[in-house]
């Protein structure tokens, strides 16, 4: 199966697991420990082990991590209820350091819309 077909298949599987279009998201620095989050840790391990095959890229600049782009932060998305899988995206170090927070947030929302087309994103701290 091609990289594109595999990504689409994984996205469809993730969407089936999402309950009522609710997801929890985490934007975490690449060097932050994930000791208390086994689901995120396992998803990240899978992401890292498949870089050459899946060729993930930064959602902001499209730099490819298989071609020596360096990860500065990970964007995780999990179903809000009984999560057994997690989606992983990554921002490259150049975008993470050069873009303003609003641009990072905008690019993260754009990446997440692939998981939930037409979804609304609510900051839990601003309800």
């Amino acid at each position: 199966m091609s990289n594109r077909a595999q990504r689409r298949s994984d996205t469809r599987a993730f969407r089936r697991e999402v309950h009522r279009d609710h997801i929890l998201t985490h934007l975490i620095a690449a060097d932050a420990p994930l000791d208390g989050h086994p689901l995120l840790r396992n998803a990240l391990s899978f992401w890292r082990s498949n870089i050459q095959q899946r060729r993930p890229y930064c959602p902001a600049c499209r730099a490819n991590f298989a071609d020596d782009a360096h990860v500065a932060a990970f964007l995780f998305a999990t179903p809000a209820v009984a999560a057994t899988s997690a989606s992983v995206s990554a921002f490259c170090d150049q975008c993470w350091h050069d873009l303003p927070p609003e641009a990072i947030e905008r690019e993260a929302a754009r990446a997440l819309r692939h998981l939930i087309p037409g979804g609304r994103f609510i900051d839990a701290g601003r309800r």
Side-chain angles (χ1 to χ4, degrees), residues 56-115:
Y57 54 86
C58 175
C61 70
R62 303 288 191 257
N64 196 299
F65 295 106
D67 297 333
D68 298 327
H70 298 283
V71 177
F74 290 101
L75 174 63
F76 295 97
T78 64
V81 179
T84 60
S85 65
S87 170
V88 182
S89 299
F91 285 92
C92 72
D93 57 352
Q94 186 173 354
C95 290
W96 186 250
H97 291 74
D98 294 347
L99 293 176
E102 300 81 29
I104 295 288
E105 187 172 315
R106 184 177 56 249
E107 294 302 328
R110 191 172 58 76
L112 293 169
R113 282 197 183 88
H114 290 283
L115 300 175

Side-chain angles (χ1 to χ4, degrees), residues 7-103:
R7 282 192 301 269
R8 287 181 177 174
S9 174
D10 291 348
T11 299
R12 283 191 301 273
F14 185 83
R15 285 180 187 159
R16 283 191 297 273
E17 190 175 337
V18 172
H19 178 74
R20 293 187 177 195
D21 296 338
H22 290 101
I23 59 174
L24 297 176
T25 61
H26 313 268
L27 187 58
I28 301 173
D31 58 356
L34 295 174
D35 297 334
H37 303 282
L39 178 62
L40 301 184
R41 189 179 62 241
N42 292 340
L44 181 55
S45 176
F46 178 81
W47 186 89
R48 285 185 169 145
S49 69
N50 286 286
I51 287 176
Q52 292 303 317
Q53 295 85 359
R54 297 177 68 98
R55 303 189 56 77
Y57 54 86
C58 175
C61 70
R62 303 288 191 257
N64 196 299
F65 295 106
D67 297 333
D68 298 327
H70 298 283
V71 177
F74 290 101
L75 174 63
F76 295 97
T78 64
V81 179
T84 60
S85 65
S87 170
V88 182
S89 299
F91 285 92
C92 72
D93 57 352
Q94 186 173 354
C95 290
W96 186 250
H97 291 74
D98 294 347
L99 293 176
E102 300 81 29

